[in-house]
Amino acid sequence: MLSKALLRLGANAARHPWRVIAAWLVAATLAVLAAVAFGGRTSDSMTAPGLDSQRAAELIERARTGQEGMTAQVVVTPLDGAVTFFGHDSARTALTRLRTEVERLPHVLGTSDPAGALDAGGDTAVRGGLVSADGRIAVVRVQYPDQSRLSADDLDALVDLGDRLRAELPLRIEMGGNLFYAFSDADGGTSELIGLLAAAAILFLAFGSLVAAALPIGMAVFGLTVGVATMTVLAGVTDVPTFAPVLGSMVGLGVGIDYALFVLARHREYLARGLDPHEAAGRAVATAGRPVVFAGGTVVVSILGLAVANVPFMTVGGFAVSIVVMIMVLASVTLLPAFLGAAGPRLARAGRIGRIGRALRTRKPGRLARRRDPAAGAAHAAGWRRWIGHVSRHPVPYAVGAAGLLLTAALPVLGLRVGLPDDGSLPPSRTERQAYDLVAEGFGPGTNGPLVIAADPTGDPGVLDRLVGAVAADPGIASVAPTHIDRATGIATLVVFPTTSPQDKATADTIARLRTDVLPTATGPGPARAHVGGAAASLSDVGRRTSQRLPVFVAAVLAMSFLLLMLVFRSILVPLKAVLLNLLSIGAAYGIMVAVFQWGWGGALIGLEATVPIVSFIPMFLFAILFGLSMDYEVFLLSRVREEYLRTGDNGTAIVEGISRTARIITSAALIMVAVFLSFAVAEDPSTKMFGLGLATAILIDATVVRMVLVPATMTLLGRSNWWLPKWLDRMLPRAPEGERQKTAPFPAPLKAKDERLRRSPRP
């Protein structure tokens, strides 16, 4: 039985705390050493089997044109506004030196030569996309090998060279390209610190004790260290996407502190009732740890369900994040009770805030005293009890009003547009943004997102001329670079520049038109074939695939959650209601994301520089994570309601008592998660902002509007039907630990209670 196993695990950890803490220290040390010795760097491979962009990438790799590797671009313009590269030898000489210095860098395979093109004639340089028509802006494109042969040192070398040449040459030098995207430090370090500080402040206010506030933080730091180090080792074996460590830190901190909060709150309840600290820790893990294990398992299964999309980088990213969640669950039932055992009876003392509360209570007993006494906890949640009772007496207006509010917030989802924010959405202080703006100014916005058409002209030598002519004539294409043909394979590559920016919807329309109309017409019915690749095409393809697979994924997660909740709570309507309410809160979060990122409402509050599309893979990732996290509160809350219902047999009393006893913990946990997630919403990278804001918004809505309004209102309206389960189905379903009311003491070990009356008290 799960509760018995957790009881023994928690009690043993509390009795031998230093052994358990030492074991976790060893595990963390070994994980960090393994990460240093065998770990790899994260990388992004925005491809998936069967996509047209993947077929283009395979042809390019066969041709070995060099375009399959990493690239960077150095964008320059004279510091003197009156100088151009056309008529000033000093500017051209500086450009030549810059290109020569860049070409000498380690691992650089080659560079474009704008100065050489200028020597051949200004028209040649302009047609080649190396110098702008006004002669003010030049681009040196740098070709590197594939990412497996590179490291952050290559990026550092390029950046250091730029810093040195800025002081020596009369040029403004800016840099960008996917070398920066691959090896720039991911956002997260500062955000993690802010999140931890905010969580510590909320825990201190919730418990009134520095010791009680420090334990969940310490547990989360241990778990996060092991989890991120393990993720780094995984990156040495396979391609782990760059967003995985940031997302893993975000989710790991949130769930880790939340899970610790649930267990710690129960532990303090048992201490307040007079139990020995070791016994209190064991019972806390057995009661609160059971929903933690279930909720954590739901989060993991939901995230692993991302494999349905059949997009490898999403599958690996989900697996990496799920590792962090599993480690946090393990820490909650082993490391945390060890901390509780080491702290001993000190956790029963309220600390300074508690002492202030007791002093006030001696002067003026009443509501304020109960509110300030953290030891009383949920047992004296008079304010929440009044609120839940009020909602239960007026269920129809509250249910209709809250549902209407969430549906209204979800309406912007109808305008959801997926894509990928490019360097134009970065802060103006970043060199990537400066390079992006200069390229767009000199060559047009589409130059920042070139498409690469790979063609195999087998059996039709004239197909290349038809392809070039047809592509150049398309209204969405601004220019076509000279065709490169590999002599060994005959494969040709055409670099084409759209008229619109990479994140513009018109660019996706151009890609679709090339594939459905332009290329098939040019190649004809013969054996020749052509495919559209490049970063913009790959991201467009991934976005379309995730959009197509999202309904299947959502249906699978909903079905799984419904079945699990039905097993736990022996009910049809309770899990059905939970699924529908979770959909409402996630839909509202999606709507708010669209309003902020696509429409720009309040974007300045989180440092958003410009409106951007929603990153193609984020909606599916958010659904997996949010649905799992919302189960935390659902299981924690309904477990307490179920306990009260089994104890009293009265639905109304169970709703009021169960929700009011968990409301303080749920709101504190939600505040912690919101604080952690919002700390990531102010990061520079728009993708990190989306994850942070989306998770924070959904958790806030779920813990307030859903749990404290819609849940009591709908459960009141359903009455005793909440717990209805057909007898034939009840006989078929396996028994979960919460499935039957226990008529005997739930734990076989004798209680070491100081108060004999505790032995006769109902199950907490």
Side-chain angles (χ1 to χ4, degrees):
M1 186 177 177
L2 179 60
S3 59
K4 293 180 180 178
L6 291 175
L7 172 67
R8 290 192 295 270
L9 187 64
N12 287 333
R15 290 191 183 96
H16 309 285
W18 301 114
R19 295 181 187 176
V20 177
I21 295 172
W24 272 91
L25 277 172
V26 171
T29 302
L30 291 177
V32 171
L33 291 176
V36 173
F38 308 109
R41 290 192 64 91
T42 58
S43 60
D44 288 306
S45 177
M46 300 292 184
T47 58
L51 298 178
D52 189 68
S53 55
Q54 177 65 18
R55 297 188 182 100
E58 291 168 357
L59 284 178
I60 294 171
E61 187 173 358
R62 278 179 52 197
R64 298 194 177 277
T65 62
Q67 292 172 334
E68 69 274 11
M70 303 293 293
T71 60
Q73 60 181 11
V74 182
V75 188
V76 297
T77 185
L79 293 174
D80 186 344
V83 173
T84 71
F85 291 110
F86 288 152
H88 294 78
D89 291 339
S90 59
R92 194 174 300 186
T93 301
L95 182 58
T96 300
R97 181 186 167 190
L98 180 142
R99 181 248 179 186
T100 302
E101 295 265 13
V102 170
E103 199 162 35
R104 290 174 181 168
L105 290 174
H107 298 127
V108 171
L109 300 178
T111 63
S112 62
D113 187 4
L118 285 169
D119 292 338
D123 291 343
T124 302
V126 172
R127 286 199 306 271
L130 301 179
V131 180
S132 61
D134 61 4
R136 287 275 309 141
I137 299 170
V139 177
V140 177
R141 296 189 174 92
V142 189
Q143 186 65 53
Y144 286 90
D146 62 82
Q147 187 169 339
S148 63
R149 297 170 57 188
L150 302 175
S151 70
D153 293 338
D154 294 285
L155 175 61
D156 294 339
L158 181 62
V159 171
D160 291 343
L161 175 62
D163 291 340
R164 177 168 64 84
L165 293 181
R166 287 188 185 99
E168 299 175 3
L169 300 178
L171 301 174
R172 174 186 168 192
I173 303 173
E174 306 296 346
M175 301 177 177
N178 56 18
L179 185 72
F180 284 80
Y181 184 76
F183 294 111
S184 293
D185 291 333
D187 292 331
T190 303
S191 298
E192 291 165 8
L193 179 60
I194 295 173
L196 282 172
L197 293 176
I202 295 170
L203 285 167
F204 180 68
L205 292 175
F207 289 114
S209 167
L210 285 175
V211 175
L215 296 187
I217 299 294
M219 189 212 80
V221 170
F222 261 97
L224 196 60
T225 300
V226 176
V228 173
T230 305
M231 194 182 298
T232 304
V233 175
L234 180 64
V237 179
T238 186
D239 290 333
V240 176
T242 54
F243 65 80
V246 176
L247 185 58
S249 299
M250 196 185 310
V251 176
L253 281 178
V255 301
I257 296 174
D258 262 21
Y259 294 163
L261 178 62
F262 294 159
V263 175
L264 178 59
R266 276 294 180 101
H267 177 71
R268 282 166 62 93
E269 284 185 29
Y270 290 131
L271 287 179
R273 295 184 179 198
L275 266 69
D276 176 87
H278 301 158
E279 188 73 32
R283 291 199 61 176
V285 172
T287 51
R290 192 166 48 196
V292 163
V293 171
F294 175 83
T298 305
V299 174
V300 169
V301 173
S302 297
I303 296 176
L304 292 179
L306 290 166
V308 172
N310 194 25
V311 178
F313 80 88
M314 291 181 61
T315 302
V316 176
F319 179 70
V321 174
S322 68
I323 288 176
V324 179
V325 176
M326 287 189 289
I327 290 174
M328 287 300 182
V329 172
L330 181 61
S332 300
V333 297
T334 57
L335 180 59
L336 181 61
F339 283 163
L340 299 179
R346 283 177 292 176
L347 290 175
R349 297 192 291 270
R352 183 179 179 184
I353 291 181
R355 291 194 295 271
I356 294 174
R358 282 195 294 271
L360 291 173
R361 187 166 60 251
T362 58
R363 298 180 186 179
K364 185 179 179 180
R367 183 178 63 182
L368 179 61
R370 288 192 299 270
R371 185 185 306 166
R372 293 292 188 96
D373 186 1
H380 300 284
W384 285 113
R385 188 176 291 108
R386 283 193 295 273
W387 168 252
I388 302 302
H390 173 71
V391 173
S392 299
R393 289 191 297 273
H394 307 87
V396 174
Y398 276 105
V400 172
L405 177 65
L406 295 185
L407 287 172
T408 301
L411 284 177
V413 171
L414 299 176
L416 176 67
R417 180 171 65 87
V418 298
L420 184 73
D422 51 32
D423 287 345
S425 59
L426 293 174
S429 58
R430 294 276 291 267
T431 186
E432 302 100 301
R433 168 66 181 275
Q434 297 289 339
Y436 180 97
D437 290 342
L438 284 175
V439 169
E441 176 188 341
F443 304 93
T447 312
N448 282 299
L451 306 176
V452 182
I453 297 177
D456 184 354
T458 303
D460 189 356
V463 71
L464 294 181
D465 292 335
R466 297 198 303 271
L467 273 175
V468 173
V471 171
D474 186 87
I477 300 300
S479 62
V480 179
T483 305
H484 181 282
I485 302 176
D486 179 61
R487 293 183 179 180
T489 62
I491 295 173
T493 54
L494 292 78
V495 178
V496 301
F497 300 95
T499 58
T500 50
S501 66
Q503 62 176 292
D504 199 311
K505 183 179 182 299
T507 303
D509 295 339
T510 297
I511 295 171
R513 188 169 57 251
L514 290 175
R515 288 171 172 164
T516 58
D517 298 331
V518 177
L519 299 187
T521 301
T523 57
R529 55 197 175 100
H531 305 284
V532 182
S538 296
L539 293 167
S540 176
D541 290 351
V542 169
R544 185 163 54 253
R545 171 165 287 186
T546 54
S547 297
Q548 292 170 349
R549 299 293 177 90
L550 184 60
V552 177
F553 172 71
V554 169
V557 172
L558 294 182
M560 176 203 67
S561 302
F562 177 83
L563 290 175
L564 288 176
L565 289 174
M566 184 171 62
L567 285 174
V568 172
F569 297 112
R570 320 301 294 180
S571 167
I572 295 289
L573 295 181
V574 163
L576 180 61
K577 170 191 63 64
V579 165
L580 294 177
L581 295 186
N582 287 342
L583 277 178
L584 271 179
S585 61
I586 294 173
Y590 281 0
I592 293 173
M593 285 177 58
V594 171
V596 172
F597 290 98
Q598 290 184 207
W599 300 353
W601 294 6
L605 297 176
I606 58 172
L608 188 66
E609 298 293 333
T611 58
V612 293
I614 304 300
V615 177
S616 56
F617 55 84
I618 282 184
M620 187 175 283
F621 250 104
L622 280 184
F623 186 87
I625 295 170
L626 289 172
F627 209 90
L629 293 180
S630 65
M631 287 295 104
D632 292 2
Y633 300 138
E634 189 73 24
V635 172
F636 189 69
L637 185 150
L638 290 181
S639 294
R640 209 65 187 265
V641 173
R642 178 70 171 168
E643 288 179 16
E644 294 297 328
Y645 180 75
L646 293 175
R647 184 176 66 85
T648 65
D650 181 82
N651 183 69
T653 301
I655 293 170
V656 174
E657 291 298 318
I659 298 179
S660 63
R661 286 173 180 267
T662 56
R664 186 171 70 100
I665 299 302
I666 286 179
T667 51
S668 297
L671 282 175
I672 290 171
M673 274 205 182
V674 170
V676 170
F677 295 151
L678 280 181
S679 68
F680 286 84
V682 297
E684 288 188 346
D685 180 57
S687 300
T688 305
K689 290 180 184 291
M690 288 180 196
F691 275 123
L693 183 66
L695 290 169
T697 302
I699 293 299
L700 181 62
I701 292 172
D702 189 80
T704 54
V705 179
V706 173
R707 302 297 156 212
M708 300 305 149
V709 179
L710 277 174
V711 168
T714 54
M715 292 190 76
T716 300
L717 291 173
L718 292 173
R720 295 181 66 88
S721 299
N722 280 302
W723 313 109
W724 171 75
L725 184 69
K727 292 183 179 180
W728 61 269
L729 183 58
D730 187 40
R731 290 192 297 268
M732 290 178 58
L733 295 176
R735 293 289 171 189
E738 290 84 358
E740 290 288 338
R741 180 179 181 180
Q742 297 185 17
K743 297 180 181 179
T744 59
F747 307 111
L751 300 178
K752 300 177 182 179
K754 297 177 182 178
D755 188 349
E756 182 62 22
R757 290 176 298 175
L758 180 62
R759 297 180 180 272
R760 300 191 298 272
S761 65
R763 180 181 175 182

